Amino acid sequence: MSMSMRRLHPVLVAAAAIVLALQGCKSEKKSGAASGTAAGGEDPWGSSDTTPRTPLAVIDKPFLWKAEKDGVTSWLFGTIHLGVNADKQLPPVVFERLKEAKVFAMEADTSDPALALAMRRADGGSLRADLGPEHWKKLEDAIGASVAQSLDAMKPFAVMTVLIARDLPMTLPMDRVLMERAQEAGKPVHYLEQAVDQIAMIDPWMSAGDVKALLDNRDVARNLAAKMLDAYKAGDAAALGAMFDDQTLWIAAGRKPSTFPAYLDAILGKRNRAWIPQIEKLHAEGGGFIAVGAGHLVGPDNVVDLLAERGFTVTRVTP
């Protein structure tokens, strides 16, 4: 879940789960997180901002595709895991297509208890020691001393997800909101992969050097996060896809550009290709509503193109 800025975005699959777990939050809609704060009223980012918010704008062009084959229709929907209030900002067409689908599918169950263990280091090491005094202080300044301390025994990936999520409005994870709606309607829920497997694919590419690069380039990260959110809200597939070429943080972490393609294939391409047989099976059984991070539908080796190669007619839905 999911760290150059190109792949920082899909990493948000797990970001919400980690942040909410650290703060003792729950994903129910009754939780305070629905209004941007953690359960119990505590803001995970330590903000005391009480400025009245303007009404949330409904997204006019959702990342929604219709996939047809053999007289059956499935729906592909691109989510953003944090930053958009799904209940208030997704247009009715998304929920209408979800309602009519026989089954709901999403990337992984981020409430899986095994996720917390998978995020912890097994080598007995300390993030604080790996970062050194200067960068540890930067981490404390960015997320607060208590949250930083709670991450000391966790893998660099966990820290990266929290830092990335820090740059987005705190909302309920969109895919979990959709899942809850599906469950309320009595629909079966299918996971395309295990959350721990997501960690296993991404973790080898994350190091203390990535954390340092992100801490040293906070303005770059904030700008990219804002652009990503703006592109999603505008439904701009081209703009979102273009962000997948940025290697700024990859290089800042001391890595060679030549290693970037292998990284992308390991954590993006291979996952997308592994999902196709499952999506085909769900489709053959009557069709489904498949919700995955929007980057999986517009990036390299994306699910839309892969299904088209398998004989599906895939068209974007215009409300």
Side-chain angles (χ1 to χ4, degrees):
M1 290 185 224
S2 268
M3 218 196 257
S4 75
M5 212 14 113
R6 170 168 185 179
R7 192 52 195 165
L8 287 181
H9 315 321
V11 167
L12 287 171
V13 174
I18 296 166
V19 174
L20 295 177
L22 288 172
Q23 298 298 329
C25 301
K26 298 183 182 294
S27 64
E28 288 87 356
K29 295 178 183 178
K30 294 179 180 179
S31 137
S35 61
T37 58
E42 180 184 357
D43 187 331
W45 312 132
S47 170
S48 59
D49 181 16
T50 57
T51 304
R53 303 289 189 247
T54 56
L56 297 173
V58 174
I59 294 171
D60 293 327
K61 190 177 180 182
F63 283 83
L64 180 65
W65 278 260
K66 182 180 184 180
E68 300 172 286
K69 186 179 181 182
D70 299 329
V72 178
T73 298
S74 291
W75 304 94
L76 306 172
F77 179 61
T79 67
I80 186 170
H81 300 287
L82 292 177
V84 171
N85 185 315
D87 287 313
K88 296 182 178 181
Q89 292 184 270
L90 292 183
V93 65
V94 173
F95 297 113
E96 290 167 1
R97 300 293 85 82
L98 172 61
K99 184 178 180 180
E100 68 186 35
K102 290 187 176 182
V103 64
F104 173 79
M106 59 188 285
E107 290 183 33
D109 181 7
T110 54
S111 67
D112 185 348
L115 181 62
L117 181 61
M119 299 302 296
R120 297 191 66 83
R121 297 177 61 154
D123 61 1
S126 164
L127 176 68
R128 184 169 190 160
D130 290 345
L131 291 182
E134 178 184 351
H135 285 92
W136 182 259
K137 180 62 167 58
K138 287 185 178 182
L139 180 63
E140 289 183 324
D141 290 343
I143 63 177
S146 61
V147 176
Q149 185 57 43
S150 70
L151 292 168
D152 188 32
M154 299 185 80
K155 297 177 181 179
F157 170 74
V159 187
M160 297 290 285
T161 58
V162 172
L163 283 169
I164 296 163
R166 174 66 174 80
D167 295 329
L168 291 168
M170 187 61 180
T171 62
L172 285 173
M174 183 182 291
D175 43 12
R176 292 201 62 82
V177 172
L178 294 169
M179 182 192 71
E180 288 169 0
R181 289 217 180 191
Q183 289 176 324
E184 290 169 0
K187 299 182 186 299
V189 174
H190 178 83
Y191 299 111
L192 299 174
E193 60 192 12
Q194 298 295 314
V196 292
D197 292 335
Q198 288 184 334
I199 302 299
M201 285 182 278
I202 296 170
D203 182 58
W205 300 91
M206 297 296 102
S207 69
D210 293 283
V211 179
K212 290 180 180 180
L214 190 55
L215 289 169
D216 289 340
N217 295 274
R218 295 298 292 140
D219 288 343
V220 172
R222 291 190 188 97
N223 183 51
L224 286 168
K227 286 184 177 180
M228 176 190 68
L229 186 57
D230 288 345
Y232 185 85
K233 290 179 177 179
D236 192 335
L240 191 63
M243 297 183 69
F244 284 75
D245 294 322
D246 195 298
Q247 298 186 35
T248 303
L249 297 179
W250 184 257
I251 295 171
R255 291 196 171 91
K256 296 180 180 179
S258 61
T259 63
F260 198 58
Y263 164 68
L264 291 176
D265 188 60
I267 61 177
L268 182 62
K270 287 182 179 179
R271 292 173 65 201
N272 290 349
R273 293 191 293 272
W275 293 347
I276 297 303
Q278 298 181 66
I279 294 174
E280 288 183 307
K281 184 174 185 294
L282 293 174
H283 182 82
E285 293 173 350
F289 186 99
I290 296 95
V292 297
H296 292 284
L297 303 183
V298 302
D301 292 322
N302 66 72
V303 172
V304 170
D305 290 345
L306 290 172
L307 285 178
E309 292 173 4
R310 300 287 292 178
F312 282 77
T313 299
V314 189
T315 54
R316 188 157 180 191
V317 176
T318 302

